[in-house]
Amino acid sequence: MAKPKLPSAIRFWIAATGFEHAAEAAYAKLRSPGYIGFVNVPVVFLYARSIELALKACVRQHTSDPKIFERKLGHRIDRILSEADRLGISEDLALTAEHRKTISAIGKDYSDKWYEYPEHFWRARPKIEDLKSAANILLPKVQIYVDPKKAKTANMLCARANVGAEHRHGSLLNVRKIFP
């Protein structure tokens, strides 16, 4: 099976937004009264994935070389953030020193896929609220950075596709027609 093509910046942003919405839903469950469960590891993973993809959207604006993403960056959030710094775009993203510290703290565990396949409970204990805050600040900034007009159109399509508590399910079908 052939490796998929490198997504466009707007597609990275759309995927990042989906992971952020899933993280928000899981976070709400985690903080709901009386909840006892293990959704905290998936919450960290979902926020981390949304941050990874959002940062990749910014980097993708500057390069179409898939080797940079495959060999240099991979799933290393800290490397992707460093690449954003190198390209001079990280200032536009409004991440605080605390956000950067939180992102760096989860970087190795995230790239090692610990949050997908935990060996034991909490290899490192990230501050979920700091990760949530980083994602919530980053995604709107990335939306403006990658392509404000297309991102606004994608948001409108997603909003039309939503019904009640549904979170953007099915809306990617419409988005694919606009962003092949």
Side-chain angles (χ1 to χ4, degrees):
M1 181 177 209
K3 197 166 191 133
K5 286 178 25 179
L6 183 65
S8 65
I10 194 72
R11 280 186 176 267
F12 271 125
W13 175 80
I14 290 168
T17 301
F19 277 98
E20 182 196 27
H21 293 162
E24 292 290 326
Y27 180 83
K29 180 73 172 176
L30 178 66
R31 296 297 183 233
S32 64
Y35 175 74
I36 299 172
F38 301 101
V39 77
N40 48 352
V41 172
V43 166
V44 171
F45 169 77
L46 292 166
Y47 278 126
R49 181 58 56 96
S50 73
I51 291 168
E52 173 200 357
L53 296 172
L55 292 170
K56 282 183 173 179
C58 293
V59 173
R60 178 64 170 91
Q61 282 288 91
H62 291 272
T63 184
S64 60
D65 183 1
K67 291 177 184 171
I68 289 175
F69 290 88
E70 294 166 8
R71 295 184 186 146
K72 183 178 179 184
L73 303 178
H75 295 287
R76 296 295 307 259
I77 297 176
D78 51 335
R79 287 185 188 168
I80 303 166
L81 188 54
S82 293
E83 185 68 8
D85 290 340
R86 189 187 72 73
L87 293 169
I89 55 178
S90 58
E91 286 184 22
D92 296 336
L93 304 179
L95 293 173
T96 66
E98 191 62 33
H99 293 140
R100 295 173 77 86
K101 182 178 171 185
T102 301
I103 290 167
S104 292
I106 66 160
K108 179 159 178 30
D109 287 346
Y110 177 77
S111 66
D112 289 346
K113 299 189 177 282
W114 186 88
Y115 296 105
E116 293 174 67
Y117 310 104
E119 296 169 8
H120 53 280
F121 206 61
W122 286 127
R123 188 160 141 182
R125 185 179 274 281
K127 295 178 183 175
I128 293 175
E129 283 72 18
D130 289 345
L131 203 55
K132 176 183 182 342
S133 173
N136 292 166
I137 287 171
L138 185 62
L139 270 287
K141 297 289 186 182
V142 171
Q143 175 183 359
I144 292 166
Y145 186 80
V146 296
D147 190 334
K149 187 175 180 182
K150 284 184 179 178
K152 183 178 179 185
T153 303
N155 266 344
M156 288 173 18
L157 285 171
C158 291
R160 273 190 246 147
N162 283 342
V163 178
E166 199 174 60
H167 289 281
R168 292 171 172 41
H169 295 296
S171 60
L172 282 180
L173 296 175
N174 294 325
V175 171
R176 283 188 192 120
K177 292 175 186 172
I178 295 174
F179 312 109

